[in-house]
Every structure is written in C-alpha cells, then in structure tokens.
C-alpha cells in the first residue's frame, strides 16, 4: 500500500510520531527510568589549587622519546571530581634545571584541558588568566596533556574512576585498558 502525503501533513505526522516516542519513554506512563543527569547540562565544580607539590610525592610518567624533559604528577593532587574532570598538578623539569608547575584538569568527555593555576618560584599559586576549556593539542614531543589523556587518565575516552586507578596507570607506564 502506498501512502501519499499531502502538503502540510508531513509536519503533523512528525509531531504525532515525536509525541508517541516521548510517551513511550515518559517514566510515569511506561515505568522506564529516565536518567535526569543526562538531561541536564554539564556543570564544572569550583576548584581551588591543592597544596604545592613536594618532590617526594612526584611520580614520573612517559610522554615521548623525542623530549629530554621529565614529566611528573603530584600523587597527592590527583583527583576525579563528580563532574568527571581528572585534576592533577604536573611538574615539568627541563635539562637546564628549570621546573614549571601547573594545576590542571582533563575533561575526558570532550577531549579538553584547562589550566587552573600556575606555580610560582615561592611555591605559591597564581590563578590562570583564562577559565576556558581548550582542545588538547595534538601529540608532540612535549605533549604531556595528550599523553595523560590517551595513556593514563582517560583510557578509551572515559575518565578513570579514582585517583588510585590513575596512580596505578602512572606506575605501570600506561592504563591497562588502553589498546
């Protein structure tokens, strides 16, 4: 049987079908539980910088054979928020003896990063000038954020479940579920 649509009836049909689909998933009528968290927009937690890192708490991780810098995570600072952001303090030591420290976050769902604060020479924090999330730069010899995302803290694009899981991945040289 052929159905012929008259002008203007296409919209009416779409509305009717859309309403039927909504009614099917309305938890009061169908008994289906709708996860309201998935319906609300993502909300980032307010975050203050942690205690400045101590050298005994730093765990080195691998980024690339093409760099002579050393990359370290402060084990005490690693956390996973209820907003699914993995937060950490990273220290980058250059061969010349300079160490750069920053407090950062990875948003695993969107492949983005944010720098919350930068370390000063007097071991205090300076708030970052921008609060924007930015796309993680492509992997390069010093691309530690891409390495942290892919190999340690966001295996297969999903955030780790706990700081312990992330520390285990750092100590192993990568997350066991990364293919």
């Amino acid at each position: 049987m052929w159905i012929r649509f008259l002008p203007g009836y296409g919209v009416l049909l779409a509305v009717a079908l859309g309403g039927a689909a909504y009614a099917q998933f309305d938890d009061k009528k169908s008994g289906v539980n709708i996860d309201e968290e998935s319906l609300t927009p993502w909300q980032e937690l307010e975050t203050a910088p942690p205690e400045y890192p101590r050298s005994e708490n730093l765990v080195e991780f691998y980024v690339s054979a093409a760099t002579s810098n050393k990359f370290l995570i402060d084990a005490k600072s690693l956390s996973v928020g209820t907003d699914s952001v993995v937060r950490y303090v990273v220290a980058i030591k250059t061969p010349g003896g300079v160490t750069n420290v920053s407090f950062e976050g990875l948003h695993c769902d969107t492949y983005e990063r944010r720098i919350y604060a930068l370390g000063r020479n007097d071991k205090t924090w300076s708030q970052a000038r921008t609060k924007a999330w930015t796309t993680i730069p492509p992997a390069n010899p010093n691309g530690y954020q891409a390495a942290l995302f892919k190999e340690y803290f966001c295996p297969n694009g999903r955030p780790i479940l706990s700081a312990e899981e992330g520390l285990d991945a750092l100590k192993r040289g990568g997350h066991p579920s990364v293919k």
Side-chain angles (χ1 to χ4, degrees):
M1 169 169 36
W2 293 93
I3 299 175
R4 184 173 175 203
F5 290 101
L6 298 174
Y9 287 100
V11 172
L12 182 60
L13 180 63
V15 170
L17 291 175
Y22 175 77
Q24 182 180 1
F25 291 104
D26 180 15
D27 62 342
K28 291 178 183 166
K29 293 181 182 175
S30 69
V32 173
N33 289 328
I34 297 174
D35 179 11
E36 291 188 23
E37 283 186 26
S38 65
L39 301 176
T40 58
W42 177 74
Q43 182 73 33
E44 181 179 7
L45 296 174
E46 289 291 322
T47 305
E51 181 182 319
Y52 205 82
R54 297 179 184 197
S55 59
E56 65 265 17
N57 296 329
L58 297 177
V59 178
E60 189 171 355
F61 66 97
Y62 178 80
V63 173
S64 168
T67 182
S68 53
N69 290 337
K70 289 188 177 189
F71 299 88
L72 306 112
I73 294 291
D74 174 24
K76 297 284 185 185
S77 70
L78 184 58
S79 69
V80 183
T82 56
D83 57 0
S84 298
V85 173
V86 180
R87 293 179 179 85
Y88 55 88
V89 170
V90 62
I92 304 167
K93 293 185 178 185
T94 68
V98 175
T99 300
N100 294 305
V101 178
S102 57
F103 174 49
E104 305 181 5
L106 294 176
H107 192 208
C108 299
D109 295 339
T110 60
Y111 197 68
E112 292 180 306
R113 63 157 172 116
R114 178 174 171 197
I115 298 174
Y116 294 99
L118 301 170
R120 295 182 179 139
N121 289 338
D122 65 356
K123 299 188 186 225
T124 62
W125 296 106
S126 171
Q127 291 295 107
R129 293 182 189 184
T130 179
K131 294 184 177 187
W133 286 90
T134 58
T135 300
I136 296 170
N140 62 57
N142 289 306
Y144 67 92
Q145 291 149 332
L148 287 172
F149 183 96
K150 293 175 183 173
E151 302 294 329
Y152 303 97
F153 298 159
C154 303
N156 306 309
R158 303 299 310 151
I160 54 175
L161 299 176
S162 66
E164 293 77 20
E165 181 181 354
L167 290 173
D168 182 62
L170 290 169
K171 291 173 184 173
R172 287 175 177 250
H175 197 280
S177 73
V178 174
K179 310 226 177 333

